[in-house]
Each structure stands twice: as C-alpha cells, then as structure tokens.
C-alpha cells in the first residue's frame, strides 16, 4: 500500500542571549570557567536569595521578537516551572508560561534554489527563561557520582517555538540558517552551537494520506542536535523510520505516547531516550519573587529603532540597488552583515555589482575558508579591493594574471601595486609594446601572410609570441597594437 | 465552578513532591490531606468568574538590574554546606536519565 | 546596672550619653540569655564573641567621637529564618541544622550599618510553618508568662526573648501572623510592615507573596526605632517598594485627634473570650477619649481568608522548599540512588507540618487543579484586598483582636493542624492584602496571660499605626509589665 507522507516539523530553539551577566544575578556568563566559580546566592539557589531581572536580557528578547514579527506582551510575567533535577538549583526554573514576552510572529524561508522559498513559518512564542547547570556523568560508566557545575545556571535563554509548519529537513535547516543570521545580525547571541549558545530540538511526525483519510504518526521529539546539518539529517531519518514503523504497526498519534529520541550523528540514526507516559506535571504558577514587567509602545519603538536592515531586506537591496541575481544576494547575505557591508562598500565605488560579487564569492570566500578566517580579519581592506578591481576594469591588470595578483594580495596583505610588483607584473609603456610587436611582425612574415589571407585566428599566435618575449605584455593590448601595425591590403 | 470528582492521592502527590511516605503512613496522610482540602475547598463554591486574581504584589516600577558583572562567591563558600563535593563540583549519585530543558 | 526594666529607646539614650557602655549592655543581655535560655529555649545560636567584639568597636568609636550608627551598641536578636553571614541559620529545620550562610540578609546588613549588635538567632517553627514554636527537632520554646504554654509562632523565640528580657529588640517575620500572634501571646509589641516595605532578601522563604520581616520589642516606640533602620527600597528584592521610608520614631508623638478608627463588630463580639472583648472595648474607650472617632466597618470576605491563605501559602511553599534536595544544603539521606536522594532526604529532614504543607501545595498546583485552588484563592485574595480598600476610604486604621485566644497550652494544637490554622483567623488578612499591622498588649486575662490588640492600616501607613499604638502605650502600662 502506498501512501503520501508529509513530514510535519516544529522546532524549539533555545538561544543563549549575549549578556555579560546572568538573567537574575550579576554572575558572569562566560563559557569555560572552572566549575562553580561563577555562582552566587541567587544562581545557586541559596535559601533567602532573590532574583532581579537583567534589563539587557529583556531588551534582547524584545529585539528578537520584533525581528521575528512578533507581538510584544505589554505585561509580561514570570512563572515557576517545577521539576527536580540535580543541576536545577531551586527545584524550579524561572520561565514564562502564559504571558511570554513575544508571541505570534513569523519568518519567511528564503532559498532561491528551492520551491520552499517564500514559505512562511509561524512563530508561536519566544519566552525568556534561565538555564540550568551542567551535569557531568561518570564516563567510565562505573556508577561513579555525577558532578554538578552551576556556572551555567541562570544564564539567560530565549526559547523560540515554531508552529509545526516545516515540511522537510531541508526546510528546517533553511529556517535555522535564517534565524541564526538574524540573531547574529542583531547581536542577540553568538549562536555558537558547540558552546551550547544555540540548542535545537525538533518535533517530528508524519501526516499520511491513506484510503481511510488522513492519519498522523506519533510525535517524536529529537534531541542532541549539534549542527543544522544534523537537524536536517535527523528529520529525514526520522521521517523514514516513522513511515516504516507505521507500515509495521499502524500506530497513530492517539495510540502511542510521545517519545524523546536522541540523534547519534556518527551512526546517522535516532535512539529512543524516553517515553513520556503522562505529560510531565510542571505545576506552573506565577513566581511570587518577581513582578509584572511593563513594556510600553515607546520602549518597543526605541528598540525597533536600533534594528538595522535584517537579512531579508539586505537581499532585496543587493538585488535592486546592485542588480545581483537572487542566488548571489543569498550567498552574500548568508555570510553575515560584515560581509555584506564589505560588498556594498566595494560595489559602491566599483559600480559593477556582479563583478564584485563574482570576486567575493569565488576568490575571497575561497581564501577565507581555506585560511579559516572571516571577513573581519580579511588581509585586504575594502579600499585595496576597490583598487584591485579598478585595475582590472581599466586594463591596468590583465584578467589572466588577476587571480595570481589577488592571491598575492591576500597572502601578503599588500596593495594591488605591491602584489603586481612582487610578481614582476608591470605595465609596458606603449613604446616598449610597439617595439615588441614590431619585432614579432618582422620575425613572422608567414603568419602575417596567413592572417592577410583571412585566417584571423592566427593573430593569437602572434600575441603568444609577444608574451613569450615579455610576460608583462597584456594580450588585449598586444592584439590592438598588432592589428594597428599589420600591413593594410 | 464544578467540584472535581478526583480526590487527592497522597501517594501520587508524595511522588510529585519527592517526599517518600512509608506505606503505613499513606492512609494517615491521605485522610489528613483530605480534611485540609475539605476545609480550604470551601472557597471552591464561590462564584468568582468575574474577579481578577491578586497575586499579592503591587509594584508600579519595573524592577530590573543593569547588565553589569558583580563578584561571584568564593567557591569554597559555595561548596561548604554541601553533603558531597570534590572541591570543585557538587557530587550526587549517578544520573542515568536525561535532563529536561 | 539592672537593665531589665529598660526599653530599647531608654538603652539607646544611656548608650548615647555614655552612661552605659555597649560592652556592658551586651554583657548584660548575654548573661540574661545564659540564665534563662536553658529553660525557655528562645535562642538556637548565641554569638557571644562577635557580639562582644562589635560592642568594643562601638565603644571605641564613641569614645573617639567617631561617627556611629543610629542603633549603636543596641543588642538585637534575629529570627533564625533570616540569613546571617557565617552564623548558623537553621530556619528551625533539621534540613538546615548545620547551614551556615555565605551572605547576609539585607536587613542584617542594615542593622550592621546601624551598629546594632547581633547577639543570637531565635527559635521558630520550622520554615515559619506554625503558630506555637513547639519545634519537635530543636525543642519547644516556653512562654515566659507561663511555662506550660507556648509563646506563639512562628517568631516565638524573638517574642519570648523580649518578654523575658533576653534582648531589647528582635526581628521576626510574618507570613500569616508570625510576628503579631507571638507578640500577643508574649505581651510585647510587634509590627508586620506593608508588603515591600522591608527587604525580603535573605529571609528564608516560606510563602514569598505573603511574608515580611518586621520589628518586635517592648514598646511601640522601640518597634518604630527598629523599623526605621530596616525599611526602605532594596534593589536586590524585586518586590521591594520604591516609596521612601520614614523616620518612624520622629512622628510618633503626634496626636491622633480626628483619627477615624474602624471596628468590625463581628470580629469584636463573636468567637472571642469575654476578657479579650472587654480589653478591646477598654482600648476603644482610650482612643475615643484621645479624640479618635470610632466607625463601624465590614470586612465581608474575611471569613474566607484562612482558607485562601492555606491554599496560597502551601502552594508557594511547595516550590520554595524544592531547593532542599540533598545537593547543596547540609543534609542528605545516605543512598546511592538519585531518586532516593530526593525522596528520602526530604522525608527524613523535613518535619511533619512542613511535609504536610508541601504535599498540600503540590497537590493544589498539580495538573488540573490550579484553577480550582491557587487561582480561586488568589481571587478571594482580591476580594479581601478590596474589602480593606473600601474600609480605608472611611477610616485611618482598623482595630481588632490579634488572636481569638490567649496563649494556648503546649501540645494543645499539635495533634490537630486545622485548629492551629484557625488561630490565624485575624492575622492572615493583612498578609493576603499586603497591609501593615501592629500587635500590642492591651490587657491580661484572669490567668495573667497577655491579650493582643491588632491595628491594621492602609499600605505604607505604618506611621499611623505607630502613632496610635504609641498613644495607647502612653496612657496604659500593660507594655511595662513583665513576667514574674
Ligand atoms: Mg524551556
Ligand atoms: Zn549568580
């Protein structure tokens, strides 16, 4: 029996906000400190200590919400989410339950090479909450004690929850790429997945069009997703697994409990972690240690004013003002704001967006990737790059040597002139060129004869000979000169 | 506001609260809790649909702090009340389940 | 010098005029503790050494003419639910029997800055959950007026310490009457401030939205003195009020002529013993002859206050006490199993009443019951608050009993939690509404037990309560009587 299966995916993304200090106390949030050295009575949950909200965390949350087209809650409050876990210091997490700071937003997928482009993914909510500490389990599996480090406890997180609007692993990846671009562009988070600044859980199931009507497979929550690529692979794997499972047992969403499965990246499959028999009872209630926080329209406007162009808008500008194709605009914007700034600075002077785009995509990016640097650390600054491209445009630098020159500029961090000089590339003055051309013409009467007979291709032969006399000869200039000097017939 | 049919279960509640009750105590606690709920339950009958709840805090200001680092505590102090540490971390019996987030 | 007849303001005068050294003052009270604490058990911890050192420092500064704080040299006892840096703080719980905080509560910090001298930590019901200070783990505290009776609770140790002359002033905390009820039972003065008036930072939480730290002393003027040093905004407590605090002692002598005093007849005539009713009526006469006008008021929802309180407080407690899980604080049941670390630790090191309230709160918040209990109780809370708001449109303060009875016998209520809860009937409303309330001694019953009168006021009107209370004490001498 063949059925049409549609993958239904919703994402929960925990973003660590780029604050100096924790959500409710003044301890540092820096990654990698020695265990339990970044704690105080508040974040360790000492009896009697009380939380006070970090203004910047709230602001970053609102900023993200605005960028994701969310409504901002004017009277947001805090709830306690009660559960026991050794790295949860107070036995509850301060989170937001029924009045999250951001609600009802959306993000449009942008992917010029896919039909998904332009699809809208609805954001259900984005709420602030504090992170837990870190548990390190006995790796020898000898049953040794678990170590608890509370340095991370209390770090501000923004939990962004989408509606189940994504329809493939690829869409999920596209969504996450765009989200990350926005978060980086807003400087809301460093989005470092390795350090846990961006954590993704995916809820996946299938909608099956069967002869008996639409059915849905049980929802699986996938955890341990360490890269966007893993998210994509895990969703595709899970879709396949669920289809097979359904073919085997026919269990639907109402017949089987929700599962949590972990993604094993090396084996490329998901592993059952936990079956949620009954939904966890978190006993949410308003945190009596914190008060309602009021956000006015004026507050929102002043935060909105700080948001510069978002990635989607930058793509539009690249296409309309710099006349780039959608593909180019996407590639450039995906490199982040600094890269696009670099492009715009250069293109504004060079006045040929496509030329600049080609060089950035093909040579600059290749070099940056090869040397594991980013545009901030680019050895060639925008002015030097403008100078380089101008040399090409004005034929001062022949395109056949341009790549060598660029490579030289990048590796030695030098100007175009310096690079050309160190490669021994000089522009011949017209007298020298005339002399070389004359010599070639003098020495090759038989080729001239062929040309005069109509074999114009043979002129390339002559150009080659000028080049072998002096490698600085520009082929185009040599052609021009030779044509000028050929005997008329 | 309808009265719920389901009664308190001392056993289930003690699991939620992570307080172990010896089996012999369960019926005792059960009846104690039932009589207390019976007493506080008198407010269930009131028709308060149109009443805004009051959670007890009426502060007009938005109390918030600036994102400025303060000195954290000395680790020796942080750890000194703990039943088990290795001088750096708190130690607990091995955890095999997965954590929530 | 026998200082036992001195109140705090008198001691302060003697200290300021250097007729009395801080060292002598502290030594006197330490000796009082040494003589009586074995019997009364009002202190869990006494800090002789650091108290004597602080006293010496105050004396030296005073002698040199250097600046000293407004309470310089005055010994103070602090309830053991308030965190004191490097001084054991148990909250009356086996769970925290050996807990030594690594920070000071804001109030303790402020008292330190005022140069008051901490002499010890006073007994209490476990985590403040109780009205008798019959703490089974640390032993009960006796009422200095009658050793067969309880001092009230949960701030029973602070109340007993003052009544017995072991400390001139003390801090208590009041979640549902825990300052006022023991003040009434021990014949002293105690004030629960407006919610947000005194920082809760460092108060080991029982029910966060209800509780306040407050002063306990022999006289109203002493409580005003102490309140002035404790009150005021604290940026570490998000629920701390930004309204400026006052010098509460400064205005205390202003006349109360024209004050409108509300009386809820129902509270005065039903459910009280004859002696309490008659003591309150005499108090009313005193206020009337001082120029106050007595106005009848109604508090129609107060009959539901105890029920609402015993939903809200256990719910908040169930979360506040989740942090005692065996990971960070002193006690852990011996086990290699994580789940048992939780459930055994919490079963072994929480007392029965605490377990009872945690279970009650856990259930009331559990899935499907939130609306029925916590939300419904919070709506009752709104009605109670509105009752007061309406009443305070017509009156400056409300006069009534603090407790339905005088101090009860040891063991009388231990077997029946409900009867103990009902003893809070007059006090919990002020906590639910966040209002200031003062309890002071207004007479004695035939067995010689003190009777408490409660004055409740609008938010941040502590000064009205203190003025009225001070006027009453300037015309009576109940506050000067001491147990034999
Ligand atoms: Mg979360
Ligand atoms: Zn901290």
């Amino acid at each position: 029996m063949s059925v049409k299966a549609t993958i239904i995916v919703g994402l929960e993304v925990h973003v660590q906000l780029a604050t100096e200090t924790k959500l409710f106390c003044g301890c540092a949030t820096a990654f990698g400190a020695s265990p339990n050295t970044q704690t105080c009575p508040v974040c360790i949950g000492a009896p009697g200590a009380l939380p006070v909200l970090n203004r910047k965390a709230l602001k970053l949350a609102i900023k993200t919400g605005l960028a994701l087209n969310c409504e901002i809650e004017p009277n947001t409050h805090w709830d306690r989410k009660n559960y026991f876990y050794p790295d949860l210091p107070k036995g509850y997490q301060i989170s937001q339950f029924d009045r999250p700071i951001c609600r009802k937003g959306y993000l449009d997928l942008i992917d010029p090479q896919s039909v998904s482009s332009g699809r809208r993914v609805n954001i259900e909510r984005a709420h602030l909450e504090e992170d837990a500490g870190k548990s390190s389990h006995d790796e020898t599996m000898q049953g040794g004690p678990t170590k608890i480090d509370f340095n991370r406890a209390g770090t501000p997180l923004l939990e962004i929850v989408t509606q189940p609007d994504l329809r493939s692993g690829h869409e999920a990846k596209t969504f996450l790429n765009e989200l990350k671009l926005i978060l980086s562009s807003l400087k809301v988070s460093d989005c470092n997945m390795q350090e846990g600044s961006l954590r993704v859980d995916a809820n996946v199931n299938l909608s099956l069009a069967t002869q008996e009507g639409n059915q849905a497979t049980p929802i699986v929550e996938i955890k341990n997703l360490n890269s966007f690529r893993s998210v994509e692979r895990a969703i595709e794997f899970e879709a396949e697994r669920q289809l097979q499972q359904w073919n085997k047992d026919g269990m639907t969403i109402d017949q089987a409990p929700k599962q949590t499965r972990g993604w094993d990246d090396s084996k490329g499959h998901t592993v059952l972690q936990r079956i949620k028999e009954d939904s966890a009872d978190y006993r949410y209630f308003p945190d009596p240690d914190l008060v309602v926080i009021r956000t006015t329209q004026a507050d929102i406007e002043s935060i909105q004013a700080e948001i510069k162009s978002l990635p989607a808008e930058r793509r539009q500008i690249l296409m309309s003002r710099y006349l780039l194709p959608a593909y180019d605009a996407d590639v450039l914007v995906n490199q982040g704001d600094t890269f696009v700034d670099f492009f715009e600075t250069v293109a504004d002077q060079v006045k040929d967006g496509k030329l600049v785009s080609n060089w950035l995509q093909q040579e600059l990016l290749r070099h940056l990737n090869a040397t594991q640097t980013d545009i901030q650390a680019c050895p060639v600054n925008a002015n030097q790059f403008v100078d380089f491209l101008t040399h090409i445009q004005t034929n001062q630098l022949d395109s056949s040597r341009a790549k060598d020159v660029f490579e030289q500029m990048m590796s030695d961090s030098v100007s175009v002139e310096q690079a050309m000089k160190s490669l021994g590339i000089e522009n011949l003055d017209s007298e020298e060129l005339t002399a070389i051309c004359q010599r070639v013409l003098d020495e090759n009467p038989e080729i001239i004869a062929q040309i005069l007979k109509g074999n114009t291709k043979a002129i390339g032969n002559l150009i080659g000979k000028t080049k072998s006399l002096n490698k600085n000869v520009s082929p185009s200039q040599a052609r021009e000169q030779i044509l000028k000097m050929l005997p008329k017939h | 506001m309808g009265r719920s049919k389901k009664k308190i279960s001392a056993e289930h509640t003690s699991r939620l609260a992570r307080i172990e009750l010896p089996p012999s105590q369960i019926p005792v606690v059960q009846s104690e809790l039932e009589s207390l709920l019976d007493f506080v339950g008198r407010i269930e009958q009131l028709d308060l649909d149109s009443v805004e709840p009051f959670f007890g805090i009426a502060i007009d200001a938005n109390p918030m702090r600036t994102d400025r680092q303060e000195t954290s505590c000395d680790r020796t102090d942080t750890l000194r009340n703990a039943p088990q540490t290795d001088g750096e971390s708190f130690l607990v019996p091995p955890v095999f389940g997965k954590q929530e987030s | 010098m026998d200082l036992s007849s001195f109140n705090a303001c008198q001691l302060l005068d003697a200290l300021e005029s250097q007729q009395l050294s801080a060292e002598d003052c502290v030594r006197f009270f330490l000796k009082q503790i040494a003589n009586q604490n074995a019997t009364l058990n009002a202190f869990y911890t006494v800090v002789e050494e650091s108290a004597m050192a602080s006293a010496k420092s105050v004396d030296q500064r005073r002698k040199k003419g250097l600046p000293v704080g407004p309470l310089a040299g005055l010994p103070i006892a602090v309830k053991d639910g308030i965190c004191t840096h490097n001084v054991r703080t148990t909250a009356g719980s086996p769970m925290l029997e050996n807990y030594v905080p690594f920070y000071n509560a804001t109030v303790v910090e402020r008292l330190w800055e005022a140069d008051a001298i901490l002499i010890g930590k006073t007994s209490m019901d476990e985590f403040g959950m109780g009205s008798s200070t019959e703490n089974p783990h640390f032993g009960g505290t006796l009422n200095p007026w009658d050793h067969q009776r309880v001092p009230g609770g949960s701030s029973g140790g602070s109340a007993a310490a003052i009544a017995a002359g072991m400390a001139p002033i003390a801090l208590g905390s009041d979640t549902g009457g825990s300052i006022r009820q023991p003040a009434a039972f021990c014949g002293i003065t105690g004030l629960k401030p407006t919610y947000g008036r005194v920082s809760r930072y460092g108060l080991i939480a029982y029910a966060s939205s209800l509780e306040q730290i407050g002063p306990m002393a022999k006289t109203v003027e002493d409580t005003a003195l102490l309140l002035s040093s404790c009150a005021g905004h604290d940026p570490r407590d998000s629920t701390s009020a930004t309204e400026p605090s006052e010098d509460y002692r400064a205005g205390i002598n202003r006349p109360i002529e024209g004050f409108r005093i509300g009386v809820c007849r129902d509270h005065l005539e039903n459910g009280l013993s004859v002696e309490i009713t008659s003591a309150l009526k005499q108090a009313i006469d005193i206020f009337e002859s001082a120029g106050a006008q007595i106005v009848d008021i109604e508090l129609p929802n107060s009959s539901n206050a105890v029920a609402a309180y015993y939903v809200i407080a256990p719910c908040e407690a169930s979360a506040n006490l989740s942090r005692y899980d065996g990971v960070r604080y002193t006690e852990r049941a011996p086990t290699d199993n994580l789940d048992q670390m939780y459930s055994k630790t919490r079963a072994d090191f929480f007392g029965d009443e605490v377990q009872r309230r945690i279970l009650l709160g856990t259930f009331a918040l559990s899935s499907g019951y939130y609306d029925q209990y916590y939300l419904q109780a919070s709506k009752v809370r709104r009605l109670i608050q509105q009752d007061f708001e309406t009443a305070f449109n017509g009156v400056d303060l409300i006069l009534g009993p603090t407790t339905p009875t005088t101090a009860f016998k040891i063991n009388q209520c231990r077997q029946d939690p409900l009867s103990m809860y009902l003893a809070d009937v007059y006090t919990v409303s002020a906590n639910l509404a966040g209002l200031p309330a003062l309890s002071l001694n207004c007479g004695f019953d035939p067995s010689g037990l003190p009777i408490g009168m409660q004055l409740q006021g609008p938010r941040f009107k502590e000064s009205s309560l203190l003025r009225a209370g001070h006027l009453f004490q300037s015309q009576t001498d109940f506050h000067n009587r001491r147990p034999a």
Side-chain angles (χ1 to χ4, degrees):
Chain A
M1 182 174 60
S2 110
V3 291
K4 188 182 174 299
T6 310
I7 309 178
I8 311 289
V9 181
L11 298 176
E12 279 177 33
V13 186
H14 285 85
V15 179
Q16 182 181 323
L17 298 175
T19 54
E20 292 291 310
T21 65
K22 295 183 179 181
L23 187 53
F24 295 111
C25 69
C27 292
T29 52
F31 180 81
S34 181
N36 294 301
T37 53
Q38 287 171 181
T39 62
C40 73
V42 178
C43 58
I44 203 92
L50 297 171
V52 182
L53 178 63
N54 183 334
R55 184 180 282 109
K56 183 163 181 206
L58 181 74
K59 184 176 164 178
L60 294 179
I62 293 174
K63 204 177 230 183
T64 308
L66 291 173
L68 297 176
N69 309 293
C70 290
E71 293 170 10
I72 305 302
E73 168 61 52
N75 297 303
T76 197
H77 78 177
W78 307 92
D79 298 285
R80 292 182 178 180
K81 179 181 181 179
N82 295 284
Y83 66 93
F84 290 94
Y85 199 81
D87 61 22
L88 185 71
K90 298 184 292 296
Y92 59 83
Q93 178 193 35
I94 305 177
S95 181
Q96 300 194 289
F97 181 56
D98 60 344
R99 262 190 269 158
I101 182 69
C102 313
R103 247 196 300 219
K104 292 185 192 157
Y106 62 85
L107 182 59
D108 292 331
L109 295 180
I110 292 174
D111 181 2
Q113 293 181 305
S114 152
V115 289
S116 302
S117 206
R119 282 208 343 100
R120 176 158 292 184
V121 178
N122 288 293
I123 310 284
E124 193 178 303
R125 57 188 282 146
H127 67 255
L128 273 165
E129 61 184 26
E130 50 178 1
D131 205 348
K134 206 178 101 204
S135 303
S136 313
H137 310 292
D138 178 14
E139 276 161 15
T140 65
M141 299 302 283
Q142 306 289 299
T146 294
K147 296 179 179 186
I148 314 286
D149 169 14
F150 290 103
N151 282 348
R152 206 180 62 183
T155 299
L157 298 178
L158 186 68
E159 180 176 336
I160 302 170
V161 182
T162 76
Q163 289 191 358
D165 289 348
L166 296 153
R167 293 291 170 267
S168 67
H170 180 74
E171 280 195 4
K173 187 176 155 201
T174 307
F175 172 86
L176 290 167
N177 273 328
E178 189 70 3
L179 180 65
K180 183 178 169 182
L181 270 184
I182 291 172
L183 297 171
S184 311
S185 164
L186 295 175
K187 297 187 170 59
V188 153
S189 172
D190 66 16
C191 296
N192 186 332
M193 280 186 100
Q194 263 58 51
E195 295 179 3
S197 305
L198 197 72
R199 284 169 250 166
V200 183
D201 299 332
N203 285 295
V204 182
N205 75 337
L206 298 177
S207 169
L208 302 160
T210 70
Q211 278 145 353
E212 296 92 58
N214 276 341
Q215 295 194 342
T217 56
I219 296 178
V220 166
E221 181 176 10
I222 316 177
K223 292 189 175 271
N224 297 354
L225 296 165
N226 296 321
S227 68
F228 294 168
R229 175 85 185 111
S230 311
V231 175
E232 183 177 26
R233 289 174 66 208
I235 290 169
E236 300 300 339
F237 170 86
E238 192 54 33
E240 191 53 42
R241 189 195 66 78
Q242 288 185 22
L243 186 61
Q244 283 175 18
Q245 188 69 31
W246 185 78
N247 281 328
K248 242 188 277 171
D249 63 16
M251 292 280 247
T252 61
I253 189 164
D254 311 316
Q255 296 165 336
K258 187 174 164 173
Q259 286 184 11
T260 301
R261 299 180 71 91
W263 171 248
D264 184 330
D265 205 50
S266 58
K267 297 204 175 95
H269 65 193
T270 61
V271 189
L272 179 65
Q273 286 183 338
R274 191 159 58 114
I275 294 176
K276 293 186 175 175
E277 287 297 351
D278 41 11
S279 64
D281 192 343
Y282 291 124
R283 289 165 281 131
Y284 281 102
F285 77 105
D287 191 327
D289 286 334
L290 290 159
V291 304
V292 169
I293 295 289
R294 298 182 207 287
T295 303
T296 63
Q297 199 52 41
D299 296 334
I300 292 173
E301 277 160 21
S302 87
I303 294 172
Q304 182 80 63
E306 287 179 22
I307 302 179
K308 301 175 301 169
S309 306
L310 290 170
E313 196 185 327
R314 299 207 82 168
R315 286 190 192 88
Q316 283 308 321
I317 291 171
L318 293 187
M319 287 157 68
S320 59
R321 190 189 303 161
Y322 299 95
L323 306 174
L324 294 188
Y327 175 85
D328 285 46
D330 194 48
V331 172
L332 296 184
V333 169
N334 285 348
Q335 302 307 315
D337 276 332
T338 320
F339 199 85
V340 183
D341 291 344
F342 187 88
F343 167 84
E344 290 184 348
T345 311
V346 174
D348 282 342
Q349 296 180 64
V350 173
K351 311 261 187 266
D352 182 347
K354 184 61 184 155
L355 175 73
V356 181
S357 169
N358 289 346
W359 275 96
L360 285 181
Q361 284 182 58
Q362 286 153 27
E363 296 307 316
L364 188 73
L365 266 183
R366 191 182 51 73
H367 185 95
L368 293 179
N369 288 341
T371 53
Q372 301 260 316
T373 46
D374 59 19
I375 191 72
Q376 268 104 333
C378 182
V380 171
N381 67 33
N383 284 336
Q384 291 172 322
F385 197 65
V386 169
D387 214 16
F388 165 74
L389 292 176
T390 312
H391 270 70
I392 298 175
Q393 282 178 316
T394 57
N395 289 325
Q396 288 169 278
L397 170 59
D398 186 70
S399 49
S400 65
R401 304 297 312 276
K403 281 186 188 180
D404 296 342
V405 171
F406 184 73
E407 201 55 43
Q408 190 71 24
M409 287 171 73
M410 290 294 280
S411 55
D412 291 2
S413 187
V414 293
S415 69
V416 63
E417 279 89 3
Q418 286 166 310
M420 287 170 70
K421 196 167 179 195
S422 68
L423 290 171
I425 302 173
E426 295 165 45
N427 269 319
L428 299 175
D429 60 30
S430 62
E431 258 175 52
E432 278 174 289
L433 181 65
T434 311
I436 291 167
C437 291
Q438 191 58 59
R439 186 172 153 196
V440 170
L441 290 172
D442 290 348
E443 286 170 3
N444 296 286
E446 67 288 2
I447 299 178
I448 294 172
Q450 284 177 31
I451 295 169
L452 293 177
K453 263 187 238 158
N455 181 9
T456 46
K457 275 188 198 155
I459 198 164
N461 220 331
L462 292 179
I463 294 167
K465 289 184 191 297
T466 59
K467 195 116 175 104
S468 58
L469 286 175
N470 185 326
K471 63 181 186 334
N472 288 322
V473 168
S474 148
S476 58
Q477 286 176 355
R479 168 184 291 269
E480 209 176 311
Q481 188 61 37
I482 288 168
L483 285 175
K484 242 190 264 173
M485 291 167 76
L486 276 178
K488 305 286 176 289
H489 52 134
Chain B
M1 181 145 303
R3 207 169 219 287
S4 166
K5 307 266 177 325
K6 229 173 99 190
K7 275 246 165 183
I8 185 169
S9 152
E11 205 181 345
H12 176 70
T13 307
S14 74
R15 267 202 308 276
L16 267 182
R18 300 291 192 285
I19 293 177
E20 186 178 272
L21 292 180
S24 64
Q25 270 301 101
I26 291 175
V28 181
V29 174
Q30 174 80 29
S31 82
E32 259 177 15
L33 290 175
E34 274 173 18
S35 71
L36 290 179
L37 281 170
D38 209 46
F39 167 70
V40 300
R42 60 193 285 174
I43 59 170
E44 277 176 69
Q45 278 100 37
L46 305 172
D47 177 11
L48 303 179
D49 287 351
S50 58
V51 179
E52 268 290 295
F54 176 53
F55 296 115
I57 303 158
I59 303 274
D60 296 327
N62 275 352
M64 286 190 255
R65 37 173 286 276
T66 305
D67 184 28
R68 193 179 303 125
Q69 207 177 306
E70 284 169 42
T71 320
S72 288
C73 289
D74 199 280
R75 181 162 63 196
T76 327
D77 284 338
T78 308
L79 297 177
R80 79 175 176 211
N81 286 292
Q84 197 190 357
T85 79
D86 62 2
E88 283 192 343
S89 295
F90 296 87
L91 301 182
V92 297
V95 175
F96 291 115
K98 273 311 284 182
Q99 84 183 91
E100 331 247 345
S101 82
Chain C
M1 200 174 342
D2 181 18
L3 303 177
S4 52
S5 63
F6 282 52
N7 64 40
C9 289
Q10 289 163 340
L11 284 174
L12 200 58
D13 285 345
L15 287 160
E16 278 169 358
S17 61
Q18 301 194 33
Q19 290 167 284
L20 172 66
S21 71
E23 271 193 90
D24 285 344
C25 184
V26 167
R27 197 174 291 121
F28 173 84
F29 286 99
L30 288 174
K31 194 161 168 245
Q32 291 279 94
I33 296 171
N35 290 340
Q36 298 182 75
N37 200 47
T39 311
L40 296 178
N41 192 29
F43 286 85
Y44 292 152
T45 305
V46 181
V47 287
E48 294 180 33
E49 243 174 78
S50 70
M52 288 310 295
S54 305
K56 197 168 275 176
S57 144
V58 166
D59 285 338
Q60 279 168 356
R61 277 181 286 151
R62 225 174 219 142
K63 256 186 217 131
K64 288 184 193 154
L66 293 171
V68 290
L71 302 180
L74 202 57
I76 184 165
V78 172
K79 187 180 185 179
D80 214 17
I82 298 171
C83 288
T84 42
H85 191 183
N86 289 338
V87 174
R88 183 179 79 133
T89 300
T90 68
S93 181
M95 188 69 86
L96 295 175
E97 178 160 8
N98 302 302
Y99 179 63
V100 180
F102 48 99
Y103 77 103
N104 266 329
T106 296
V107 279
V108 171
E109 205 74 10
R110 288 187 181 176
L111 290 172
W112 171 260
E113 279 158 23
D115 283 317
I117 293 167
L118 174 73
I119 52 172
K121 304 295 296 290
T122 57
S123 62
M124 59 188 286
D125 291 295
E126 185 178 359
F127 286 109
M129 298 180 195
S131 310
S132 66
T133 318
E134 295 170 278
N135 191 309
H137 186 75
F138 292 90
T141 300
L142 307 185
N143 189 319
W145 294 90
D146 178 348
H147 291 186
Q148 309 298 310
R149 291 176 189 269
V150 302
S154 63
S155 310
S158 288
I162 288 164
M166 294 192 276
I169 47 171
L171 286 181
S173 69
D174 189 315
T175 312
S178 287
I179 286 175
R180 291 161 287 159
Q181 186 252 21
F185 280 13
C186 291
I188 63 154
T189 308
L191 175 73
K192 181 201 93 74
T194 308
Y195 189 81
R197 179 67 298 163
V198 176
S199 169
R200 289 188 298 114
Y201 190 79
L203 170 63
I204 296 181
Y206 156 26
S208 315
S209 78
L210 298 163
E211 58 208 7
Q212 276 288 291
I213 292 172
M216 302 172 84
K218 284 177 181 164
T219 69
V220 171
E221 192 173 5
D222 290 355
T223 61
L225 171 77
L226 182 50
L227 179 65
S228 301
S229 287
C230 297
H233 180 68
D234 178 12
R236 288 187 180 280
D237 175 359
S238 303
T239 63
S240 160
T242 48
E243 272 86 354
S245 64
E246 306 164 34
D247 180 344
Y248 294 96
R249 193 184 168 193
I252 204 162
N253 281 310
R254 276 183 291 153
I256 63 154
E257 219 175 304
F259 256 44
R260 287 158 307 163
I261 297 180
V263 173
C264 191
R265 291 288 156 194
D266 183 41
H267 290 184
L268 211 59
E269 274 144 24
N270 298 319
L272 291 181
S273 66
V274 203
E275 295 83 21
I276 297 184
T277 304
S278 92
L280 290 171
K281 285 190 170 156
Q282 281 172 24
I284 289 170
D285 291 344
I286 290 174
F287 284 118
E288 258 188 319
S289 49
Q293 186 193 337
I294 305 300
V295 181
D296 280 357
I297 57 142
E298 308 234 13
L299 296 168
N301 292 288
S302 60
S303 56
N304 288 316
V306 175
Y309 176 85
Y310 279 97
V311 172
I312 293 168
C315 284
E316 294 184 9
S318 73
N320 280 332
L321 273 63
S322 290
R323 72 192 63 205
Y324 308 108
D325 57 5
V327 179
R328 283 146 300 136
Y329 306 115
T330 63
E331 307 306 335
R332 179 192 295 177
T335 173
D336 292 334
N337 176 294
L338 183 70
D339 209 46
Q340 290 194 350
M341 174 190 79
Y342 287 109
S343 54
K344 277 195 186 300
T345 298
R346 291 164 62 78
D348 292 354
F349 296 98
F350 281 144
D352 289 348
E353 182 59 26
V354 170
Q355 293 189 24
R356 191 178 289 128
R357 293 196 197 184
I358 290 174
L359 292 173
L360 192 61
T362 301
F363 175 74
L365 288 174
S366 67
S367 177
Y369 294 97
Y370 175 83
D371 285 3
Q372 190 177 332
Y373 290 110
Y374 192 76
L375 189 65
Q376 184 78 348
S378 300
K379 289 177 172 182
V380 172
R381 192 173 183 180
R382 169 74 66 193
L383 298 179
I384 286 166
Q385 183 220 12
Q386 285 170 347
D387 278 357
F388 278 114
E389 221 163 77
T390 309
F392 286 126
N393 280 332
V395 300
D396 297 293
L397 53 89
I398 296 170
L399 183 152
T402 307
T403 55
T405 65
T406 51
F408 47 81
K409 286 232 163 81
I410 290 165
N411 283 330
Q412 191 177 315
C413 285
R414 273 183 68 190
Q415 304 314 316
D416 180 8
L418 199 53
S419 74
M420 191 165 72
Y421 297 179
L422 288 168
D424 299 340
V425 59
Y426 301 117
T427 47
V428 292
S429 290
N431 300 86
L432 289 166
L435 304 177
L438 178 73
S439 177
L440 61 163
N441 187 358
C442 69
F444 292 85
D445 74 1
S447 0
L449 294 171
I451 294 170
M453 161 172 67
Q454 179 175 228
L455 302 177
Q456 300 176 95
R459 293 179 70 214
F460 303 111
K461 292 290 187 203
E462 280 81 0
S463 53
S464 302
L465 303 182
L466 294 166
R467 269 165 71 190
H470 182 65
L471 174 115
F472 181 82
Q473 290 186 338
S474 67
Q475 314 231 337
T476 56
D477 81 333
F478 302 118
H479 59 286
N480 288 328
R481 298 196 206 161
R482 300 272 65 94

